[in-house]
Amino acid sequence: MRNSRHAFAVHLLEAGTDVRTIQLLLGHRSLKTTAQYLCLATNTICATASPLDLLPRPVAPAAAIAPSA
């Protein structure tokens, strides 16, 4: 039974389910207990993009052209 709970939690994490939701589904009182599954789902965690990566990149200003003399 325990292995199926682990597999269930890891599959939910890899599918993008919130840890708090998994906590409620598994009936854990403490979020620390649910957080143990995070180490099992490292592929998803490592593949998660940072919100900073989603920001538009600034465009470099065009170089000022010096007037010819």
Side-chain angles (χ1 to χ4, degrees):
M1 177 75 160
R2 186 170 187 205
N3 286 339
S4 61
R5 287 174 58 88
H6 279 278
F8 178 69
V10 171
H11 285 299
L12 287 174
L13 278 171
E14 289 178 347
T17 306
D18 183 67
V19 178
R20 175 74 173 121
T21 303
I22 297 170
Q23 176 190 8
L24 294 172
L25 290 172
L26 294 178
H28 294 156
R29 289 184 184 173
S30 172
L31 191 56
K32 287 182 182 181
T33 306
T34 310
Q36 293 174 355
Y37 297 109
L38 292 174
C39 65
L40 301 174
T42 55
N43 291 340
T44 301
I45 295 167
C46 292
T48 303
S50 166
L52 297 177
D53 293 338
L54 303 175
L55 294 175
R57 302 207 180 240
V59 178
I65 301 173
S68 20

